[in-house]
Amino acid sequence: MRFDFCDMGSDELLKHSLACGRRLKAVETEFLATLPEIRRRTLYARAECRDIYEFAAKMGGVARTTVDEMLRLHGQIGRFTRLWRLIESGAQGWSKVRAVASVLTEATEPWCYDLVTTQSRRVIEDRVAAYRRAAQTLSGHPETPPTPRPNSA
C-alpha cells in the first residue's frame, strides 16, 4: 500500500504514524525474542553471520547492548515459559518482564505474571522494590524472599 503523506490531513497522518510505530515496536520485540533460540541453534551462520551480534545488527539493526540485555533476560527467565511467551507473542514488552526478573522464582512466578499482565512498568518496579525491601527486613536475605500473595505489594 502506498501513501501520499503530503496529501493526508494532520490527524490522518498522525494516526497512520502512530499505527506504524506500534507495529514496528511489536515486530522488533518479536525479533529480539527469537535471538536466544537463533543463538542456541547457531542459525546465524546460515545467514552468513559470524555470531548473534552480527546477525542482530544486519537483520534487525539491533545494537550489541540490546542483544546482551535480551540474552541475559532469557537466561534469567527463559525457564518460566509463561513469562517468556508474553515477550515472544508481543503481548508484553520485555522491559516489563525484565522488571520482575530479580525476584522471579518458582514460588513468585504467579505473582510476577499477574504484575506483568495487569500493571504498568512503573507500578511493577515499585512493587518489586517494596517486595525486596520487605523480604530483606523479614529474612535479611533478599535472595530468599517470602512468597507474595497475588495482587500484593
Side-chain angles (χ1 to χ4, degrees):
M1 179 180 275
R2 185 173 152 87
F3 294 95
D4 191 353
F5 301 123
C6 294
D7 291 338
M8 284 184 175
S10 296
D11 290 343
E12 183 183 9
L13 179 59
L14 179 60
K15 183 179 177 182
H16 177 75
S17 182
L18 291 172
C20 288
R22 282 191 295 275
R23 288 193 311 270
L24 180 63
K25 200 170 193 175
V27 168
E28 180 186 34
T29 298
E30 186 178 348
F31 174 75
L32 289 170
T34 68
L35 296 180
E37 190 64 17
I38 294 288
R39 185 174 92 168
R40 186 184 75 75
R41 297 184 196 183
T42 64
L43 295 176
Y44 52 80
R46 287 194 197 172
E48 299 179 5
C49 296
R50 68 180 177 279
D51 58 27
I52 193 66
Y53 301 103
E54 182 181 1
F55 176 83
K58 283 184 175 179
M59 302 302 151
V62 177
R64 183 184 227 10
T65 55
T66 304
V67 174
D68 282 338
E69 284 184 64
M70 184 56 71
L71 295 175
R72 186 174 28 257
L73 180 62
H74 184 265
Q76 290 175 305
I77 70 149
R79 66 192 173 110
F80 299 97
T81 55
R82 279 194 333 152
L83 281 166
W84 187 252
R85 285 194 178 125
L86 290 174
I87 297 171
E88 285 180 335
S89 68
Q92 297 295 330
W94 59 284
S95 63
K96 286 177 74 174
V97 177
R98 182 181 57 200
V100 300
S102 66
V103 296
L104 187 59
T105 65
E106 295 292 336
T108 62
E109 191 272 340
W111 179 69
C112 291
Y113 184 86
D114 182 56
L115 281 178
V116 169
T117 57
T118 63
Q119 303 298 324
S120 69
R121 185 174 52 88
R122 178 72 179 149
V123 169
I124 294 168
E125 289 169 351
D126 290 346
R127 290 195 178 168
V128 166
Y131 176 76
R132 291 182 64 80
R133 283 191 306 274
Q136 191 169 19
T137 300
L138 291 174
S139 68
H141 303 288
E143 295 79 28
T144 56
T147 303
R149 293 186 315 267
N151 296 322
S152 67

